[in-house]
Amino acid sequence: MSATRSHRPLLDRLLSSSTLAFIRAGRRAGQSWWKILHGYAYGRWPYGYIGSAIGERRELWPLRALFGPFLVRALGKNGPQRWGAEYHGKVVPIDGATRLVAVGEAVDAILPEQVIPHENARHLLLSGQGPIVALDCPCRLARTDPCLPLDVCLIVGEPFASFILDHHPTRARSITAEEAIEILVAEADRGHVHHAFFKEAMLDRFYAICNCCSCCCGAMTAHRQGTPMLIASGYVAQVDAESCIGCGACAERCPFNAIQLADDLSQIDGQACMGCGICVRGCPEGVLSLVRDPSRPAPLELEEIRATG
């Protein structure tokens, strides 16, 4: 009898309404049971999943055996390209990120290839009514000396929000759109990048806005190492050379190392710049701006998507 009671919490989680809702949503989306299992493992154990992938905290390494069948896809033939296509983030300046969490009406659209240049996971589905959950960042918790605060991952919409709240009650909390915007603004002020994340196993669609620091973020680390997990915003930073005083604030803040000082002026590497706008926000002289870069994937502009959806 005691054995039955000891297993009941696990069974309750496995058969919880949020788990069943996630499974039903996956089947409605035509996902295979493998993808649904992958999504369940990712959502149920994000700290072990991402922590074992990052591999900084030794106590998480044994979990690689559990998540190996999923992580090995990133290490095999064409692994980096496949991984980037199945799990990727679109850089979004703060105005765009704010609109994603404050949308006032339902949005159901497949983003065009010009915005998300992958066949997988580019479905944008928003109810217009939330819900939104703030989750302790798995990437930060995977580090031995993480950036703070931790609760900066914004899980957007169902069935993801209820699933995360149900399975991570001590690391997740329900928040309003106004509270989500406060988190976005605070993270932007800290110099952290907003990414709209899409994952094939998460119902082939958008599920979160992560606020990422270059030191902790697994996606940014992978991107620097050649796994193309991040998609540029569609903008590039531009400096007014006549007004720049060469203070170096932008170079210090740039999370992609795309700005250098030369001849006491800020020089922007257009290829390295991802158009996040962190430099623009932190320039004390206001001489930086974001301009559309037609050579990059188009911005994730909610108004345009709603107009053409």
Side-chain angles (χ1 to χ4, degrees):
M1 191 70 174
S2 59
T4 302
R5 280 199 297 268
S6 66
H7 289 293
R8 183 160 294 164
L10 174 61
L11 290 175
D12 287 347
R13 287 195 297 269
L14 288 172
L15 300 176
S16 68
S17 59
S18 65
T19 298
L20 296 176
F22 183 85
I23 293 172
R24 286 194 295 268
R27 297 305 291 169
R28 285 197 301 270
Q31 288 204 317
S32 66
W33 283 106
W34 167 257
K35 280 189 182 180
I36 292 173
L37 178 61
H38 185 176
Y40 177 85
Y42 176 76
R44 177 66 186 87
W45 298 288
Y47 304 106
Y49 184 110
I50 294 176
S52 60
I54 290 175
E56 186 168 301
R57 287 175 50 187
R58 290 179 178 271
E59 67 269 26
L60 294 174
W61 288 4
L63 294 172
R64 291 181 181 182
L66 176 62
F67 300 111
F70 309 119
L71 298 176
V72 73
R73 294 171 65 85
L75 305 175
K77 185 179 180 181
N78 297 322
Q81 288 74 25
R82 178 191 298 162
W83 194 248
E86 294 179 358
Y87 173 50
H88 53 263
K90 174 78 171 178
V91 177
V92 184
I94 189 168
D95 289 346
T98 297
R99 294 187 187 102
L100 282 173
V101 299
V103 58
E105 61 186 63
V107 177
D108 187 352
I110 301 298
L111 300 178
E113 187 177 359
Q114 290 84 353
V115 177
I116 305 290
H118 299 302
E119 293 182 4
N120 299 327
R122 61 187 192 198
H123 188 186
L124 186 68
L125 181 61
L126 300 169
S127 71
Q129 304 297 324
I132 305 171
V133 168
L135 174 71
D136 287 355
C137 175
C139 290
R140 295 188 187 186
L141 281 172
R143 303 298 184 178
T144 54
D145 186 21
C147 289
L148 299 175
L150 294 175
D151 57 343
V152 296
C153 289
L154 306 179
I155 310 301
V156 183
E158 295 290 20
F160 313 115
S162 292
F163 186 95
I164 292 298
L165 280 175
D166 194 14
H167 292 281
H168 305 283
T170 64
R171 293 203 176 277
R173 59 190 175 91
S174 181
I175 60 174
T176 65
E178 290 74 19
E179 290 172 308
I181 292 171
E182 289 177 2
I183 290 173
L184 291 171
V185 170
E187 283 295 284
D189 288 341
R190 294 183 184 105
H192 299 162
V193 185
H194 316 301
H195 293 125
F197 268 101
F198 298 75
K199 185 173 175 66
E200 183 185 53
M202 296 298 272
L203 308 185
D204 284 314
R205 67 183 232 216
F206 165 72
Y207 66 97
I209 297 177
C210 294
N211 297 287
C212 305
C213 54
S214 60
C215 48
C216 295
C217 176
M220 295 179 76
T221 300
H223 197 80
R224 287 194 297 270
Q225 296 174 349
T227 299
M229 291 180 65
L230 300 177
I231 302 165
S233 72
Y235 298 99
V236 66
Q238 178 178 275
V239 61
D240 180 353
E242 294 184 359
S243 302
C244 179
I245 64 172
C247 69
C250 56
E252 292 179 6
R253 286 175 62 86
C254 179
F256 297 102
N257 297 318
I259 306 177
Q260 303 294 327
L261 283 182
D263 299 325
D264 293 325
L265 290 175
S266 295
Q267 304 289 332
I268 298 171
D269 181 347
Q271 291 300 111
C273 177
M274 298 292 282
C276 64
I278 293 302
C279 61
V280 176
R281 192 173 186 85
C283 177
E285 301 297 316
V287 301
L288 285 158
S289 60
L290 288 180
V291 297
R292 179 72 181 93
D293 182 357
S295 70
R296 299 293 187 92
L300 200 171
E301 296 286 2
L302 197 55
E303 292 81 359
E304 294 183 12
I305 292 167
R306 285 189 290 187
T308 59

